[in-house]
C-alpha cells in the first residue's frame, strides 16, 4: 500500500468522522432545548470581597429534567456543559455557575441531579433583586431564568 492511498484513506475517514460528529452534536443541541434545569438545594453559603466588590458564593444542587419520551445522552468528549447563568425577569444577570460536566444521561420522563455546583453572585445585584422581589407580592422561583452555555468542539452555544 502506498503512502498516497493511506493519506487519502485517512482524509476520507476524517471527513466522514467530522460529518458524523456534527450530526450527533446537532441532535444533542436539539434535545438539550427540552431539558429543564431546577435548583434543588443550597449549601455552604459564604460572602467574600473581590476587587472592592462584594459577592456571595454557595453550592447548588441542580436537577435536570427530561420531559420527553426520548433518552437524553450527551456523552461525547466534544460536548461539555460549561456554565449556567441566572437572570431575573428583567434580564439582569444574578450570578453564574461553572459546571464543566462532560457526560449527562437522563432517562425518558426522568431526571438527574448534578450536586455541588459552585455559584457566584454579585451581592449588590442580589440585594437589589431581593428588595425588588419583596416589593412584588407575587414573586416566585419561576421569575428566575436559567441559561445554559454548552461547549461543542470548542464553540460555545447558549440554550435558554
Amino acid at each position: 500500500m502506498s503512502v498516497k492511498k493511506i493519506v487519502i484513506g485517512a482524509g476520507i475517514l476524517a471527513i466522514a468522522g467530522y460529518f458524523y460528529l456534527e450530526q450527533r452534536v446537532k441532535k444533542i443541541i436539539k434535545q438539550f432545548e427540552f431539558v429543564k434545569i431546577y435548583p434543588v438545594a443550597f449549601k455552604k453559603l459564604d460572602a467574600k470581597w473581590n476587587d472592592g466588590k462584594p459577592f456571595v458564593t454557595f453550592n447548588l444542587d441542580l436537577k435536570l429534567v427530561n420531559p420527553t419520551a426520548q433518552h437524553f445522552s450527551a456523552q461525547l468528549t466534544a460536548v461539555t456543559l460549561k456554565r449556567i447563568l441566572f437572570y431575573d425577569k428583567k434580564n439582569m444577570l444574578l450570578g453564574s455557575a461553572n459546571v464543566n460536566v462532560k457526560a449527562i444521561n437522563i432517562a425518558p420522563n426522568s431526571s438527574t441531579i448534578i450536586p455541588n455546583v459552585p455559584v457566584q453572585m454579585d451581592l449588590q445585584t442580589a440585594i437589589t433583586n431581593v428588595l425588588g422581589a419583596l416589593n412584588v407580592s407575587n414573586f416566585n422561583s419561576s421569575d428566575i431564568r436559567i441559561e445554559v452555555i454548552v461547549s461543542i468542539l470548542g464553540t460555545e452555544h447558549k440554550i435558554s
Side-chain angles (χ1 to χ4, degrees):
M1 206 181 285
S2 70
V3 173
K4 183 178 179 180
K5 289 181 182 178
I6 293 173
V7 170
I8 291 172
I12 290 171
L13 283 175
I15 291 170
Y18 173 80
F19 285 115
Y20 170 76
L21 187 60
E22 182 180 43
Q23 292 304 314
R24 180 101 161 99
V25 164
K26 285 180 182 178
K27 182 180 175 187
I28 289 172
I29 289 174
K30 188 176 179 182
Q31 284 182 311
F32 209 106
E33 291 177 358
F34 294 106
V35 173
K36 305 294 182 202
I37 301 174
Y38 302 104
V40 177
F42 295 91
K43 305 171 188 171
K44 297 182 182 178
L45 182 64
D46 192 16
K48 298 179 182 178
W49 287 84
N50 187 15
D51 294 332
K53 290 181 108 179
F55 64 92
V56 175
T57 60
F58 56 90
N59 287 348
L60 182 65
D61 290 353
L62 293 173
K63 182 177 187 178
L64 279 70
V65 179
N66 178 10
T68 67
Q70 266 188 335
H71 181 80
F72 175 78
S73 177
Q75 274 196 300
L76 293 174
T77 56
V79 178
T80 304
L81 175 60
K82 297 290 279 183
R83 288 185 311 278
I84 299 175
L85 305 172
F86 302 92
Y87 293 93
D88 68 358
K89 61 184 176 182
K90 297 176 185 173
N91 283 332
M92 183 178 283
L93 181 65
L94 298 174
S96 63
N98 292 321
V99 185
N100 290 322
V101 174
K102 291 191 185 277
I104 302 171
N105 285 306
I106 310 171
N109 298 312
S110 186
S111 64
T112 188
I113 292 180
I114 301 175
N116 297 320
V117 175
V119 176
Q120 180 173 325
M121 295 181 102
D122 177 17
L123 192 56
Q124 265 183 318
T125 306
I127 289 173
T128 303
N129 285 307
V130 167
L131 292 175
L134 291 175
N135 289 334
V136 179
S137 61
N138 59 356
F139 176 80
N140 58 35
S141 62
S142 64
D143 290 338
I144 296 175
R145 185 174 61 86
I146 297 175
E147 191 173 86
V148 178
I149 307 295
V150 180
S151 174
I152 301 169
L153 295 172
T155 304
E156 292 188 350
H157 301 273
K158 288 184 183 181
I159 300 172
S160 295

